[in-house]
């Protein structure tokens, strides 16, 4: 009997049995392109960030990012969303592969200066967490691609109906996970999903 | 002797149960509905943008202003625990004097705060004074 070899094999087998982390599913809708069904990608976009810089799909090339929709004077769900985004920011501060992207849905009031002030108050780094404004119709249209509903509704206390989801996008511009941004328990689980995706890239 | 012991145990139990009960239950519910969105369930506010109410020197030192802030909002820059805040807080005119008193008394005793008790009479007086 070759004991060392047997021990070595046993260790190998045991290691092999270690449950592998399941990859995150692709949640993006499928569409037909040239007769083939493919996953939809987040379309090209170009907005203006808190440093008056251009923030576009190119900014996120090769990276994963978390996107959400909010506005600075929002009296309802946004402060809690921002606090939870801040938790994500803090946990992944040193992961260069993860960025954050918050779109204002109130570009009329949320000027670049106001977004800059908001980000500065939070104490976050601008190359890591982008606060963007831009053409209102473009922002509302892309919200839909990020599984978020944004509708202007003056009868609501906010003036807006918005769903407050956090969405995780991979470097291929596919949606891999999302959660309700006001729900701390869901956000915790979402951070695990981010870890899983980062292991993949 | 025996009955005295029972009486003693009974009152001890009552005291314990009473201590468990949360004071200012209505204030807590109102706080959840009207303030927690911004100032958070734990009164911590939002980093740099919305000031805290928990362990906040401003709340401790400006008791007579609280009712007015709730009813009429506040726009001027204020300093809370050494940090400046300038986002405005909108007025919440739908709260009655009693409701405002309940919220303030809840805040004054929540999250480790110990900022005393404010009777409705005082709230009414403050509101009279800051009425424009």
């Amino acid at each position: 009997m070759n004991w060392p070899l047997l021990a070595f094999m046993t260790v190998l087998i045991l290691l092999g049995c270690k449950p592998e982390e399941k990859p995150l599913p692709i949640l993006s809708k499928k569409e037909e392109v040239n007769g083939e069904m493919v996953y939809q990608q987040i379309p090209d976009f170009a907005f203006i960030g808190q440093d008056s810089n251009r923030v576009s799909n190119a900014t996120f090339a090769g990276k994963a990012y978390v996107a959400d929709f909010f506005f600075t004077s929002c009296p309802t769900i946004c402060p809690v969303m921002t606090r939870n985004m801040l938790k994500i920011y803090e946990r992944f501060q040193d992961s260069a592969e993860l960025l954050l992207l918050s779109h204002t849905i109130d570009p009329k009031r949320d000027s670049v200066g106001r977004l800059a002030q908001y980000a500065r108050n939070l104490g976050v780094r601008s190359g890591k967490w982008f606060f963007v404004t831009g053409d209102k119709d473009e922002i509302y249209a892309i919200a839909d691609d990020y599984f978020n509903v944004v509708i202007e509704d003056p009868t609501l206390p906010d003036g807006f109906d918005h769903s407050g989801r956090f969405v995780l996008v991979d470097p291929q511009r596919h949606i891999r996970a999302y959660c309700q941004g006001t729900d701390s328990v869901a956000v915790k689980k979402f951070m695990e999903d981010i870890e899983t995706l980062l292991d993949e890239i | 002797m025996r009955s005295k012991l029972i009486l003693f145990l009974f009152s001890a139990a009552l005291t314990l149960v009473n201590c468990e009960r949360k004071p200012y239950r209505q204030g807590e519910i109102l706080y959840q509905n009207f303030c927690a969105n911004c100032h958070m369930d734990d009164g911590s506010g939002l980093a740099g943008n919305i000031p805290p109410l928990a362990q906040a020197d401003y709340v401790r030192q400006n008791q007579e202003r609280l009712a007015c802030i709730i009813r009429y909002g506040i726009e001027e820059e204020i300093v809370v625990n050494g940090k400046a805040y300038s986002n405005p807080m909108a007025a919440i005119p739908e709260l009655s004097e009693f409701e405002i008193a309940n919220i303030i008394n809840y805040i004054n005793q929540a999250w480790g705060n110990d900022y005393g008790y404010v009777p409705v009479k005082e709230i009414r007086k403050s509101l009279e004074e800051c009425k424009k």
Side-chain angles (χ1 to χ4, degrees):
Chain A
M1 205 63 192
N2 189 339
W3 285 108
L5 185 66
L6 192 67
F8 182 66
M9 297 292 285
T10 313
V11 168
L12 260 195
I13 290 168
L14 281 178
L15 279 180
C17 286
K18 209 183 91 197
E20 205 170 297
E21 222 167 81
K22 265 210 340 246
L24 294 175
I26 296 177
L27 303 176
S28 304
K29 283 178 238 153
K30 283 192 161 177
E31 63 185 348
E32 203 179 311
V33 176
N34 304 327
E36 228 182 304
M37 294 304 280
V38 297
Y39 287 110
Q40 277 178 8
Q41 293 183 307
I42 298 294
D44 285 355
F45 59 85
F47 299 117
I48 305 173
Q50 72 264 37
D51 291 345
S52 305
N53 49 335
R54 182 185 153 97
V55 176
S56 72
N57 45 286
T59 311
F60 301 90
K63 312 255 183 193
Y65 64 100
V66 177
D68 79 339
F69 295 81
F70 87 114
F71 59 109
T72 62
S73 58
C74 159
T76 57
I77 59 176
C78 315
V80 174
M81 288 170 64
T82 300
R83 189 201 47 188
N84 287 335
M85 280 291 266
L86 195 57
K87 282 189 188 151
I88 297 175
Y89 173 90
E90 281 161 1
R91 171 144 165 201
F92 296 97
Q93 205 163 4
D94 300 323
S95 314
E97 285 78 36
L98 188 82
L99 301 177
L100 287 83
L101 171 60
S102 293
H103 309 73
T104 177
I105 59 170
D106 185 16
K108 208 162 40 185
R109 281 181 294 175
D110 282 342
S111 60
V112 168
R114 196 151 165 185
L115 292 177
Q117 182 69 48
Y118 191 76
R120 218 175 13 252
N121 288 343
L122 290 175
V124 301
R125 207 153 42 79
S126 46
K128 175 82 175 174
W129 187 351
F130 297 86
F131 289 88
V132 298
T133 180
D135 180 73
K136 193 177 108 191
D137 293 335
E138 280 174 36
I139 293 172
Y140 283 37
I142 208 163
D144 197 45
D145 294 298
Y146 287 111
F147 296 178
N148 266 276
V149 178
V150 179
I151 302 163
E152 208 161 5
D153 182 348
T155 65
L156 294 176
D158 264 17
F160 301 93
D161 187 357
H162 52 126
S163 40
R165 273 184 180 163
F166 294 170
V167 177
L168 178 63
V169 182
D170 71 12
Q172 288 72 43
R173 296 157 78 170
H174 292 139
I175 293 176
R176 303 296 293 274
Y178 63 82
C179 72
Q180 183 52 39
T182 50
D183 178 346
S184 337
V185 177
V187 171
K188 238 187 213 145
K189 157 94 182 35
F190 184 69
M191 290 201 263
E192 296 309 316
D193 290 341
I194 296 176
E195 293 279 7
T196 306
L197 179 62
L198 291 181
D199 283 346
E200 181 185 304
I201 57 181
Chain B
M1 188 60 218
R2 176 98 182 269
S3 66
K4 259 193 185 152
L5 184 67
I6 290 175
L7 191 67
F8 172 75
L9 284 176
F10 182 68
S11 38
L14 254 193
T15 312
L16 279 177
V17 168
N18 231 350
C19 288
E20 284 285 293
R21 227 193 55 213
K22 290 185 185 167
Y24 311 117
R25 184 83 187 110
Q26 197 213 10
E28 181 176 6
I29 294 169
L30 289 167
Y31 179 84
Q32 294 293 339
N33 290 336
F34 288 92
C35 324
N37 276 340
C38 290
H39 292 282
M40 306 288 157
D41 289 344
D42 60 0
S44 61
L46 175 63
N49 283 302
I50 301 173
L53 300 174
Q55 309 292 314
D57 58 1
Y58 189 94
V59 175
R60 183 163 40 82
Q61 292 159 6
N62 293 277
Q63 285 284 314
E64 73 300 337
R65 294 193 62 187
L66 301 187
C68 298
I69 292 176
I70 296 171
R71 176 156 292 174
Y72 300 110
I74 175 168
E75 288 200 3
E76 80 222 39
E77 181 175 294
I78 53 173
V79 175
V80 184
N81 295 346
K83 232 176 169 172
Y85 294 84
S86 54
N87 289 328
M89 168 176 153
I92 307 177
E94 59 266 45
L95 294 171
S96 69
E97 289 165 357
F98 285 96
E99 290 168 329
I100 290 175
N102 279 332
I103 293 179
I104 292 175
N105 284 312
Y106 167 69
I107 290 170
N108 278 351
Q109 300 301 327
W111 319 298
N113 287 354
D114 190 4
Y115 302 156
Y117 173 78
V118 187
V120 179
K121 197 166 81 231
E122 294 285 322
I123 302 281
R124 193 170 297 143
K125 213 171 85 201
S126 312
L127 286 174
E128 280 299 319
E129 272 161 26
C130 63
K131 201 154 65 184
K132 287 145 220 173

